[in-house]
Amino acid sequence: MDTEIKQRPVIQMGAVESSQITAIGHDAETNTLAIQFPSKSGSGSVYHYQNVTADQFAAFKNAESIGSHFGKNIKPFADRFPYVKVG
């Protein structure tokens, strides 16, 4: 059994213009994407997605629709981009 506790990176996030996503950030050292989703009761949930390269993050950040890009290129591929709720 693996008892090692892995620390999650602290990722600076920036607000984005999207009805589905509030803020995004990326840690190039660990290839971790951070996404904050909106909530009706204040700050929304934050998730970390693994295996997202700097190039993939750039494409996501610069997409015409961030929510659509997420829905087509990241969300359906949980096996490639495993995620965990961090906040």
Side-chain angles (χ1 to χ4, degrees):
M1 183 168 142
D2 184 7
T3 58
E4 179 183 342
I5 297 174
K6 296 179 183 177
Q7 275 195 294
R8 293 187 191 97
V10 175
I11 300 175
Q12 293 290 100
M13 298 177 67
V16 294
E17 300 240 357
S18 172
S19 61
Q20 299 176 39
I21 295 172
T22 304
I24 62 173
H26 186 258
D27 181 70
E29 188 175 314
T30 61
N31 282 338
T32 302
L33 167 67
I35 298 180
Q36 181 177 30
F37 295 95
S39 168
K40 293 178 183 175
S41 62
S43 66
S45 299
V46 176
Y47 289 81
H48 281 185
Y49 292 80
Q50 297 175 12
N51 307 322
V52 179
T53 67
D55 288 342
Q56 290 168 323
F57 175 68
F60 176 49
K61 183 178 178 180
N62 297 316
E64 188 173 320
S65 169
I66 287 178
S68 179
H69 185 94
F70 173 73
K72 291 177 183 173
N73 299 290
I74 300 169
K75 184 178 180 180
F77 303 104
D79 55 333
R80 189 176 346 157
F81 306 114
Y83 61 91
V84 61
K85 183 177 180 181
V86 297

